[in-house]
């Protein structure tokens, strides 16, 4: 069984030590874990071991009842710094499957907590922006993560297209822009992608509408995807998967598992 780690930032740490078969709702020590406690060397780590770890201080401004303070702080930058240290430590311990959970809407002049109204589009946009600012923290290590070896894996083609337009800076030229479908079909084989309900129908309509010109782009512009070439930008050193399952499609998680199993030496961070 491969090791799996869940990194939780700024929220109660529940099931921080986990394996793929462990219950996601098992009660654990509450609190925010420090970087060294987030990395485990064995999937059999017990709750007593977790309790023995020294819990870190909470990031400033995450209290939902201190909204005025959270609006004045870049809490997401704090989360990224903590996450970078945790991911580096996990990689050093040869952990390959990582998941980062954090409240993406808190901080800044439009700060929102769990008590405010928001929709999954706002959440997805913030997760996307967070990842686009997180990626350059790795891209600076050109030999290891450059040359297309850092994949930005979006949940669908449209999100990849939007990100490519919004984040067009030169520092992203050494990353590979792709989506879950393209990554799955490349690594596992054409047709291996499990499409969420309804998307296959829309894809078919898009191709019919496009006629001789090809896909009409109802699901996004195919030109937004980088070509995946084995031995060049594939396999990836690091795959940052942005909010799979947004809105409910469990198939995203099935495809993520396929991607990982087909490239087990790649560090996958969801």
């Amino acid at each position: 069984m491969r090791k799996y780690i869940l990194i939780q930032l700024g929220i109660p740490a529940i099931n921080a030590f986990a394996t793929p078969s462990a219950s996601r709702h098992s009660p654990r020590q509450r609190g925010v874990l420090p970087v060294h406690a987030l990395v485990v060397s064995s999937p059999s780590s017990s709750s007593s071991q977790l309790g023995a770890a020294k819990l870190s201080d909470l990031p400033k401004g995450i209290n939902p009842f201190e909204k005025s303070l959270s609006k004045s702080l870049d809490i997401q930058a704090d989360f990224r710094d903590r996450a970078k240290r945790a991911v580096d430590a996990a990689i050093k311990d040869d952990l390959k499957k990582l998941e980062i959970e954090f409240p993406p809407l808190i901080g800044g002049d439009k700060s929102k907590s769990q008590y405010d109204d928001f929709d999954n589009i706002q959440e997805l946009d913030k997760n996307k922006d967070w990842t686009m600012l997180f990626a350059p923290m790795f891209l600076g290590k050109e030999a290891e993560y450059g040359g297309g070896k850092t994949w930005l894996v979006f949940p669908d083609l449209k999100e990849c297209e939007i990100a490519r337009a919004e984040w067009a800076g030169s520092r992203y030229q050494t990353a590979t822009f792709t989506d879950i479908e393209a990554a799955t079909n490349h690594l596992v084989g054409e047709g291996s992608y499990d499409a969420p309900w309804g998307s296959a129908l829309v894809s078919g309509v898009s191709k019919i509408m496009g006629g001789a010109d090809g896909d009409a782009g109802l699901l996004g512009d195919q030109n937004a995807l980088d070509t995946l070439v084995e031995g060049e930008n594939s396999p990836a050193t690091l795959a940052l998967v942005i909010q799979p399952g947004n809105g409910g499609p469990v198939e995203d998680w099935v495809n993520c598992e396929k991607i990982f199993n087909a490239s087990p030496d790649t560090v996958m961070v969801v």
Side-chain angles (χ1 to χ4, degrees), residues 4-262:
Y4 169 93
I5 183 170
L6 174 64
I7 300 169
Q8 296 183 307
L9 305 168
I11 55 178
I14 301 174
N15 199 24
F17 293 149
T19 68
S21 61
S23 168
R24 293 293 299 276
H25 304 289
S26 301
R28 300 291 189 191
Q29 176 82 22
R30 297 180 66 83
V32 176
L33 299 176
V35 169
H36 67 268
L38 289 170
V39 182
V40 296
S41 58
S42 169
S44 62
S45 299
S46 65
S47 58
S48 62
Q49 289 174 299
L50 175 59
K54 180 181 178 182
L55 297 179
S56 70
D57 59 325
L58 292 170
K60 292 182 179 178
I62 67 166
N63 188 327
F65 303 107
E66 296 179 340
K67 184 172 288 189
S68 59
L69 176 60
S70 67
K71 287 179 177 291
S72 66
L73 297 173
D74 190 351
I75 298 172
Q76 299 302 319
D78 186 344
F79 288 165
R80 282 189 292 273
D81 288 341
R82 292 170 184 249
K84 178 60 165 61
R85 295 195 300 272
V87 170
D88 283 344
I91 292 173
K92 186 177 180 180
D93 280 2
D94 200 32
L95 291 164
K96 302 295 187 182
K97 290 190 288 188
L98 314 176
E99 181 178 352
I100 301 173
E101 288 191 358
F102 61 97
L105 300 175
I106 196 166
D109 58 352
K110 296 183 179 179
S111 180
K112 290 185 177 183
S113 73
Q114 65 266 41
Y115 299 114
D116 295 305
D117 290 331
F118 62 89
D119 56 43
N120 67 326
I121 299 300
Q122 291 174 304
E123 185 179 25
L124 175 59
D125 285 345
K126 287 295 185 180
N127 275 315
K128 175 187 63 185
D129 293 345
W130 192 94
T131 306
M132 298 306 292
L133 291 170
F134 187 53
M137 301 173 81
F138 295 91
L139 292 173
K141 300 179 180 179
E142 185 66 27
E144 195 171 357
Y145 297 105
K149 289 292 190 174
T150 295
W151 288 11
L152 301 172
V153 186
F154 296 88
D156 56 51
L157 180 57
K158 179 57 72 174
E159 290 301 326
C160 184
E161 177 188 347
I162 292 171
R164 185 132 228 176
E166 292 179 344
W167 300 89
S170 59
R171 60 182 173 177
Y172 297 106
Q173 301 308 308
T174 59
T176 293
F177 282 70
T178 188
D179 64 4
I180 292 175
E181 179 176 5
T184 304
N185 285 335
H186 169 73
L187 290 169
V188 185
E190 196 65 35
S192 59
Y193 172 73
D194 286 330
W197 183 87
S199 65
L201 175 62
V202 177
S203 178
V205 171
S206 184
K207 290 176 181 177
I208 292 172
M209 291 177 61
D213 296 328
D215 197 303
L218 294 182
L219 294 177
D221 184 0
Q222 291 287 338
N223 292 321
L225 297 173
D226 286 319
T227 302
L228 302 178
V229 181
E230 203 65 26
E232 294 184 13
N233 61 357
S234 176
T237 300
L238 175 69
L240 302 176
V241 186
I242 302 166
Q243 197 167 328
N246 179 55
V250 71
E251 291 87 354
D252 280 1
W253 292 100
V254 173
N255 290 311
C256 282
E257 183 178 21
K258 290 183 178 182
I259 291 171
F260 180 83
N261 289 338

